[in-house]
Amino acid sequence: MKSYSNEQLFLLVVEMGSFKAVAEHIGGDPSIISRRIASLEQKLTTKLIERSTRSSTPTHAGQIYYQGLRHIIDEQNALEQYVSAHTETPIGRLRVAIP
């Protein structure tokens, strides 16, 4: 299983609509995901997700946090792709010494 940060799990919960859906997607346990989101909420001292038996929806603060976090993660992914694409191809002057 890939390692996910609490912030990445939060994004997935908002996008997929439930802890169970995220758990099935990443191959984890819903209770662990719920605890990780609770830890994030404790860190931010605000409730981000309204939990019910059928779905999980973001609170107003959760929606604002989601939008900002989604932007940051998208920018990070774009930067990582840019850097990866430009480091695979050598650039610059190449000097060859042949005897």
Side-chain angles (χ1 to χ4, degrees):
M1 180 174 90
K2 178 184 169 189
S3 177
Y4 291 88
S5 70
N6 291 350
E7 292 79 8
Q8 290 170 320
L9 289 174
F10 170 73
L11 291 176
L12 287 171
V13 169
V14 172
E15 291 166 359
M16 297 182 137
S18 73
F19 293 104
K20 183 179 178 185
V22 173
E24 290 173 358
H25 177 71
I26 67 170
D29 186 81
S31 64
I32 293 173
I33 294 166
S34 179
R35 280 188 291 235
R36 300 268 307 269
I37 300 302
S39 172
L40 181 61
E41 290 173 329
Q42 186 176 13
K43 176 181 138 185
L44 298 172
T45 65
T46 190
K47 189 169 181 118
L48 298 172
I49 300 285
E50 287 292 338
R51 295 154 172 86
S52 74
T53 55
R54 293 192 179 255
S55 68
S56 302
T57 57
T59 62
H60 179 67
Q63 290 172 345
I64 292 169
Y65 189 64
Y66 171 81
Q67 291 169 353
L69 196 54
R70 176 82 279 163
H71 177 73
I72 291 168
I73 297 293
D74 289 344
E75 289 291 320
Q76 180 182 9
N77 290 339
L79 178 61
E80 289 172 358
Q81 288 176 357
Y82 177 80
V83 169
S84 293
H86 287 84
T87 57
E88 292 175 3
T89 306
I91 57 174
R93 178 179 278 174
L94 176 63
R95 292 185 185 202
V96 178
I98 300 175

